[in-house]
């Protein structure tokens, strides 16, 4: 039954991994610079590797426990497919590998980028971006490789079934490896976020505000821990995060395609393959875009942004053209309409990115106003940053609303009858695939940020000249914006992906009745389960706003989002407090630090961040996994539906607010450091440093972790759907 066009998927995965390796080898040929630059880079490299090793040990224990539970559900209770435990392990393993390889590239790149900036800004930009592309291409390459392997294996072992249920079963099993990826990603994001922000807050509050020394000054004991944190949080964490977004959007859409065309065997297969092939072609076009990023010496922030945007936009335009011909070749019904849904997804991603850029880049008024407010102290900086963040959530929310409406409408041919519901949901899913189709280059712009940040830190600590530092500062400021844009993009894709996963949840309910619980003839809304449509299950379980169980679930979903955010914020606060105390202690007790004649105890600060992150990351991660299971057991399918709606809607809005507020505070500080409103060391600068410190856990811990929470809770509900169907109390 497999079409030869599927070969594009494994071929694209291998090409992505090959080019990632080529870019890595090219980067390694550059010099790390002076002996001091090499020594600093080695400190960061060892710290990042040591932390990730410890994190993976904890995650391994969690994975073993969850796998045992899944095996019990599959082999003893029979409410889960027997392939699920293996799919879960596979997703987690590949997600961890994506973060690990990306972090390796980043830690080797930072000193080399700093050294390249001794020659020119363009050399530094190209090297940083192509080093970031290693992360982008490794992520998409491993996703496509994992999908290719699973699809081929399951296609071979799953027997033929009537009514299109073979592809439904394959897609449903593959979807569950997304939970392994989500679980790995949440630990990486939360743990890495706590690590990096504990170090960053300690370094800023004691170093900049109290001691009055520059950022990344080698006299600051927390500097190495801060640079390590950039890699474990913003590189390894983001890589694992977008790995599962990319995988989940493809697999949820494949399942919705299998459901939408169940009675048409050839069309059904092509609908399942379409998101995989579009993602594969988008990966190839991302490689093309990477080669188009370059700039001139002395470029402004807008010119640097335009240089990165050019590569991203060229890739996006090419995938628009390519996807049209892919859908025509696959001969899907209403292929032009489905293509319209893909275009909508791409435009939504670009729109959210542009909105984020406007509200967070120092070249625009919102961030400049926050910087100006620093003239009256830190309180007004915080107030203005909160207000900017709240307002900034409006445009992405409107964009997502418009994207959902148009994607649904295009894919149904503007026929809104209930008979077209599955096709409309397929359109929403494929819009998410469209948004993420050029992830290879989009993620490269995001991974570029921490590489540029570490390059600036290396330049400062190594005592390189002001011209070099000016170049690394320009790249770093650009990196703050691209990181904020990347977070907005990740959160936007999470919203569309989560909606596709929510629709997939009801297809999993149908599969549970027909195949796993062996109840195909049980009446669902007056129709045997084997013949029931999506809407029949919705009506059977009374999924509507007058059902108090749905309302209860929605409130619990909102509660989960706020409790999760509060726990992660407090975790950063506790770890940062220990870091502040340690930095103060070293300044007082180690003679010669401020004179530069004695080296601080960097290892002690690294140890504090490591222990704090490992201790604090368990509770929020366990909450995310347990709440959907508990709600399913107590309130059943209606409660889960409400829970997921509440989580998706509130989580998306809160995540955008936190990411943008934090990004704006950060760049307001950078704007002052460029010489505005008194420049470095002024009272305005100290006020914006306070704002940046408040924003650190907003933008790098709680905010980006929320988009994983959204998808992980949906995934946990999907994987444990058999429990909710069979054993609920209400």
């Amino acid at each position: 039954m497999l079409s030869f066009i599927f070969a594009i998927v494994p071929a694209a995965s291998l090409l992505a991994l090959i080019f990632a390796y080529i870019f890595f080898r090219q980067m390694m040929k550059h010099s790390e610079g002076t002996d001091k630059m090499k020594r600093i880079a080695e400190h960061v490299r060892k710290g990042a590797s040591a932390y990730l090793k410890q994190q993976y040990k904890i995650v391994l224990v969690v994975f073993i426990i969850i796998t045992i539970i899944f095996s019990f559900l599959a082999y003893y209770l029979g409410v889960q497919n027997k392939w699920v435990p293996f799919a879960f392990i596979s997703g987690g393993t590949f997600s961890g590998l994506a973060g690990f390889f990306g972090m390796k590239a980043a830690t080797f790149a930072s000193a080399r980028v700093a050294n390249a900036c001794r020659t020119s800004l363009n050399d530094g930009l190209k090297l940083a971006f192509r080093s970031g592309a290693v992360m982008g291409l490794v992520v998409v390459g491993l996703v496509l490789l994992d999908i290719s392997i699973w699809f081929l294996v399951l296609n071979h072992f799953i027997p033929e079934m009537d009514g299109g249920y073979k592809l439904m079963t394959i897609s449903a099993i593959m979807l569950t490896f997304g939970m392994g990826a989500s679980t790995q990603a949440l630990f990486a994001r939360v743990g890495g976020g706590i690590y990096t922000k504990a170090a960053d807050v300690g370094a800023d509050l004691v170093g900049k505000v109290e001691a009055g020394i520059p950022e990344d000054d080698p006299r600051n004991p927390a500097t190495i821990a801060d640079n390590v944190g950039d890699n474990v949080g913003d590189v390894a964490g983001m890589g694992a995060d977008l790995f599962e977004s990319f995988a989940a959007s493809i697999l949820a859409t494949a399942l919705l395609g299998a459901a939408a065309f169940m009675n048409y065997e050839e069309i059904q297969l092509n609908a399942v393959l379409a998101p995989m092939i579009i993602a594969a072609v988008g990966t190839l076009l991302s490689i093309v875009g990477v080669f188009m990023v370059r700039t001139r010496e002395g470029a402004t922030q807008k010119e640097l942004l335009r240089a990165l945007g050019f590569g991203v936009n060229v890739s996006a335009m090419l995938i628009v053209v390519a996807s049209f011909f892919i859908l025509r070749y696959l001969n899907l019904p209403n292929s032009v309409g489905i293509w319209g849904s893909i275009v909508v997804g791409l435009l939504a991603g670009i729109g959210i990115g542009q909105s984020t850029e406007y509200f967070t880049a120092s070249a625009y008024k919102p961030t400049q106003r926050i910087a100006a407010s620093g003239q009256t102290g830190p309180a007004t900086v915080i107030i203005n940053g909160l207000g900017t963040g709240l307002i900034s959530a409006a445009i992405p929310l409107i964009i997502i609303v418009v994207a959902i409406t148009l994607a649904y409408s295009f894919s149904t041919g503007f026929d809104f009858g209930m008979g077209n519901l599955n096709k409309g949901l397929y359109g929403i899913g494929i819009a998410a695939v469209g948004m993420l189709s050029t992830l290879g280059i989009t993620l490269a712009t995001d991974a570029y940020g921490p590489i540029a940040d570490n390059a600036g830190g290396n330049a400062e600590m190594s005592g390189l000249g002001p011209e070099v530092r000016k170049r690394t500062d320009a790249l770093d400021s650009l990196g703050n914006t691209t990181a904020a844009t990347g977070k907005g993009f990740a959160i936007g894709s999470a919203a569309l992906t989560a909606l596709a996963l929510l629709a997939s949840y009801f297809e999993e309910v149908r599969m549970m009745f027909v195949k796993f619980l062996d109840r195909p003839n049980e009446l669902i809304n007056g129709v045997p389960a084997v013949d029931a449509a999506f809407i029949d299950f919705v009506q059977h379980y009374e999924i509507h706003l007058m059902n108090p169980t749905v309302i209860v679930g929605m409130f619990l979903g909102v509660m989960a989002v706020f409790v999760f955010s509060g726990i992660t914020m407090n975790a950063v606060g506790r770890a940062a407090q220990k870091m502040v105390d340690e930095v103060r202690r070293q300044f007082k007790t180690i003679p010669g630090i401020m004179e530069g004649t004695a080296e601080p105890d960097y290892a002690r600060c690294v140890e504090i961040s490591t222990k704090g992150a490992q201790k604090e990351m368990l509770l929020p991660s366990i909450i995310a996994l347990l709440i959907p299971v508990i709600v399913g057991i107590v309130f059943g399918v209606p409660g889960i539906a409400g829970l997921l709606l509440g989580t998706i809607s509130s989580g998306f809005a809160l995540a955008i607010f936190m990411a943008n507020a934090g990004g704006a505070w950060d760049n307001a500080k950078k704007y002052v450091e460029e010489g505005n409103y008194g420049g470095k060391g002024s009272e305005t600068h100290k006020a914006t440093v306070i704002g940046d410190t408040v924003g650190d856990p907003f933008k790098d811990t709680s905010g980006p972790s929320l988009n994983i929470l959204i998808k992980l809770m949906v995934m946990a509900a999907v994987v444990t759907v058999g429990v909710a169907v069979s054993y609920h109390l209400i």
Side-chain angles (χ1 to χ4, degrees), residues 367-682:
T367 296
Q368 292 174 5
R369 282 195 289 265
I370 295 171
S373 69
Q375 296 173 97
T376 52
T380 46
V381 170
I382 292 170
I383 291 168
N384 277 283
L386 289 172
T388 298
L390 289 167
I391 292 170
S392 74
I395 294 176
L397 282 164
I398 291 169
I399 289 172
I400 288 296
V401 167
V402 172
I404 291 169
T405 304
L406 290 178
Y408 187 98
S409 302
F410 280 134
S411 60
T412 59
F414 291 86
D415 181 351
F416 303 111
M418 283 301 175
N420 282 325
L421 181 61
N422 277 337
K423 293 178 182 177
L425 295 171
Y426 181 67
I428 293 173
I430 211 159
V433 175
M435 183 183 285
L436 289 165
S437 58
T438 55
L439 182 63
I441 187 170
T442 307
L443 184 51
T445 64
D446 194 30
Y448 154 90
I451 291 172
D453 190 3
N454 268 221
N458 192 293
E460 179 74 39
M461 296 179 74
S462 302
L464 299 184
E467 184 62 30
V468 178
R469 188 60 180 157
K470 181 180 178 182
R471 290 167 183 158
T472 58
D473 280 347
L475 295 180
D476 184 18
S477 184
L478 173 65
N480 285 332
T481 302
T482 61
T485 303
K487 290 180 181 76
F489 178 82
I491 295 164
S493 68
L496 284 181
T497 300
L499 284 171
L501 288 168
L502 178 58
S504 300
Y505 177 77
F506 287 97
E507 298 302 339
E508 291 274 7
V509 171
R510 170 160 57 171
M511 290 291 296
M512 197 55 56
F513 272 92
V514 176
K515 292 297 172 188
F516 302 137
L517 301 180
D518 198 23
R519 291 153 56 181
N521 296 318
E522 183 169 328
L523 293 182
I524 303 296
N525 198 34
V527 181
V530 69
D531 298 319
F534 181 101
I535 193 63
D536 292 316
F537 284 93
V538 171
Q539 292 174 352
H540 172 76
Y541 282 106
E542 298 182 347
I543 311 296
H544 55 74
L545 293 180
M546 293 299 102
N547 184 343
T549 308
V550 175
I551 300 294
V552 166
M554 290 180 70
F555 277 111
L556 290 173
V558 175
M559 175 213 72
V561 166
F562 279 82
V563 168
F564 177 88
S565 300
I567 290 173
T568 51
M569 288 285 290
N570 285 335
V572 172
R574 285 189 292 269
Q577 191 170 354
K578 293 177 183 176
M579 186 66 71
V580 167
D581 290 341
E582 174 60 23
V583 175
R584 285 173 177 165
R585 182 194 69 79
Q586 292 198 31
F587 278 143
K588 289 178 181 177
T589 61
I590 301 178
I593 283 186
M594 292 305 293
E595 293 77 20
T597 57
E599 187 174 270
D601 186 357
Y602 298 124
R604 176 60 185 153
C605 292
V606 170
E607 182 185 351
I608 288 173
S609 269
T610 300
K611 287 183 177 178
Q614 290 170 353
K615 178 183 175 183
E616 300 282 5
M617 72 182 179
L618 279 171
L619 180 59
S621 302
I622 290 169
I623 285 175
L625 290 165
L626 285 183
I627 287 179
V629 179
I630 294 170
V631 171
I633 292 172
V634 177
F635 297 106
V637 173
I640 286 290
L643 176 81
L644 301 182
L645 284 170
T647 302
I648 293 168
S649 55
S650 63
F652 175 69
L654 187 60
I656 289 288
F657 154 65
M658 297 182 90
N660 286 357
W665 274 318
D666 193 349
N667 275 336
K669 175 198 69 176
K670 286 283 193 297
Y671 187 69
V672 173
E673 288 175 346
E674 289 169 4
N676 300 292
Y677 305 115
K680 290 183 179 181
S682 66

